[in-house]
Amino acid sequence: MERFGDWILTLAAAGVMIWWVWRRFNRWLHEPPGAKLRRLAVAGGVDRDETVELIENYGYQVLSGKHRIPLGVAIDDGPTQATRLYFDYLAAKDDKYYLVKLDRARQPLEWTASGLRERLLVYALLFPDCEGILVVDSRDGLVKTVRFKVEDDE
């Protein structure tokens, strides 16, 4: 960098990078709650079937369906292994969002506090802006809402 123009280009590039990082941080900081869910709602399409009709009969609007969330798992300092987490639909009712999981015959849901915690808590933690998780039993025509609440240990 012997010439004066090199310094100007370097400072301009550094300025653009700082501006870009600041802008991304500011956008992230002021992002409204539920923005991630709204992006999911417009990302996926909905195939009309009897499950969607059942959910809509309970007063929910099905926004999108069949979502896959990629995750990475590393043990100690080992390589990261890829896995994924699935949920079936995203629904809304009264401007509140709900994740939808289907209760399938091959993996029945255990309707105890510990069974629900083991199977559904991860969704509540990944999407804290959701009002709850709808569990749809197509065989019996039922839609149940599961909510988690952290309680004081008193």
Side-chain angles (χ1 to χ4, degrees):
M1 289 203 202
E2 299 172 359
R3 291 184 272 157
F4 182 70
D6 292 343
W7 283 102
I8 290 176
L9 285 176
T10 303
L11 289 175
V16 168
M17 286 295 291
I18 290 171
W19 172 79
W20 181 78
V21 168
W22 174 255
R23 189 162 176 234
R24 295 283 298 182
F25 174 73
N26 201 28
R27 184 179 298 161
W28 170 80
L29 188 64
H30 296 291
E31 187 174 57
K36 184 177 5 174
L37 291 171
R38 282 191 285 281
R39 282 193 301 273
L40 279 175
V42 296
V46 178
D47 295 331
R48 305 288 306 168
D49 60 3
E50 60 275 353
T51 304
V52 172
E53 290 178 12
L54 175 63
I55 295 168
E56 289 176 347
N57 287 341
Y58 273 79
Y60 297 93
Q61 177 188 5
V62 178
L63 303 174
S64 64
K66 308 297 181 198
H67 291 283
R68 181 182 70 155
I69 302 163
L71 299 172
V73 178
I75 301 171
D76 292 332
D77 291 330
T80 301
Q81 301 172 26
T83 186
R84 59 202 90 30
L85 192 62
Y86 296 95
F87 65 93
D88 297 297
Y89 298 100
L90 180 65
K93 183 178 185 179
D94 300 329
D95 294 325
K96 296 177 182 170
Y97 291 101
Y98 298 85
L99 296 180
V100 179
K101 286 290 290 174
L102 299 180
D103 192 10
R104 302 183 195 281
R106 62 189 149 129
Q107 284 186 320
L109 195 60
E110 187 178 326
W111 287 98
T112 62
S114 61
L116 293 171
R117 179 195 68 222
E118 294 298 319
R119 291 280 302 275
L120 301 176
L121 181 62
V122 65
Y123 298 102
L125 294 175
L126 274 175
F127 298 99
D129 298 327
C130 278
E131 183 67 21
I133 300 161
L134 300 179
V135 178
V136 178
D137 185 354
S138 298
R139 295 177 308 257
D140 296 334
L142 296 174
V143 176
K144 297 180 182 179
T145 305
V146 177
R147 292 181 180 92
F148 293 96
K149 179 184 175 214
V150 178
E151 297 181 354
D152 293 333
D153 197 25
E154 293 179 15

